[in-house]
Amino acid sequence: MTQTIYILNGPNLNLLGRRQPEIYGRETLQDVEATCAGVASGLGLAVRLMQSNHEGQIVDWIHEAREKAAAVVINPGALTHTSIAILDALNTFEGPVIEVHISNIHKRESFRHHSYVSLRAEGVIAGCGVEGYALAVRRIASLLAR
Ligand code: DHK
């Protein structure tokens, strides 16, 4: 059976493409989904991309991933910097986790420099624009192949 990667996105990323394009670019989450689906299918994998502005919904999707996904790519948005609940949920997930940030969070305000999710993630991609999602899918494929 084809393995699925859950690509989870947090608050405000529904506005990707329209929100502060000088920071986050002009591509939408739909564009990201199409690109990642193409990359994943070339690697024999499938993706499911989801977005919520609500922390608990993201926790619920991570719990669902325990049963339905082989790996998680996550951009928690601002919850990166605040959410112990998302970290705890990811710690219940056994497969690989890659954290993605569209912008380079280390080049921005100091409150963006710390990530709770990084305590769990196998890898972190930041500052590569939306290309970071496709890079994460490629990395997941090599981790799953091990
Ligand atoms: C997205 C957000 O919404 C911010 O709150 C983070 C992240 C950075 C990104 O670069 O994708 O601080």
Side-chain angles (χ1 to χ4, degrees), residues 99-106 124-129 132 135:
E99 176 183 353
V100 171
H101 305 289
I102 297 163
S103 64
N104 181 355
I105 53 174
H106 301 290
V124 183
I125 298 168
C128 297
L135 294 171

Side-chain angles (χ1 to χ4, degrees), residues 10-13 16 19 23-24 75-81 100-105 108-109 111-113 126-127 133:
N12 301 303
L13 288 162
L16 192 62
R19 160 206 192 203
I23 296 176
Y24 298 106
N75 181 353
L79 295 172
T80 305
H81 319 298
V100 171
H101 305 289
I102 297 163
S103 64
N104 181 355
I105 53 174
R108 300 182 65 190
E109 303 96 323
F111 62 80
R112 296 185 203 276
H113 296 178
Y133 290 90

Side-chain angles (χ1 to χ4, degrees), residues 18-95:
R18 287 176 289 154
R19 160 206 192 203
Q20 297 182 280
E22 67 288 0
I23 296 176
Y24 298 106
R26 297 213 174 265
E27 284 182 79
T28 66
L29 219 46
Q30 265 187 326
D31 297 328
V32 170
E33 185 171 28
T35 302
C36 288
V39 170
S41 94
L43 295 163
L45 298 167
V47 297
R48 233 192 111 199
L49 185 143
M50 290 162 268
Q51 186 278 331
S52 177
N53 293 326
H54 306 281
E55 184 176 19
Q57 176 64 81
I58 294 168
V59 168
D60 287 345
W61 282 331
I62 295 167
H63 294 175
E64 187 183 299
R66 286 161 49 80
E67 311 297 327
K68 298 190 177 162
V72 169
V73 170
I74 185 163
N75 181 353
L79 295 172
T80 305
H81 319 298
T82 61
S83 181
I84 298 168
I86 289 178
L87 170 63
D88 284 352
L90 287 170
N91 278 331
T92 76
F93 180 75
E94 288 184 0

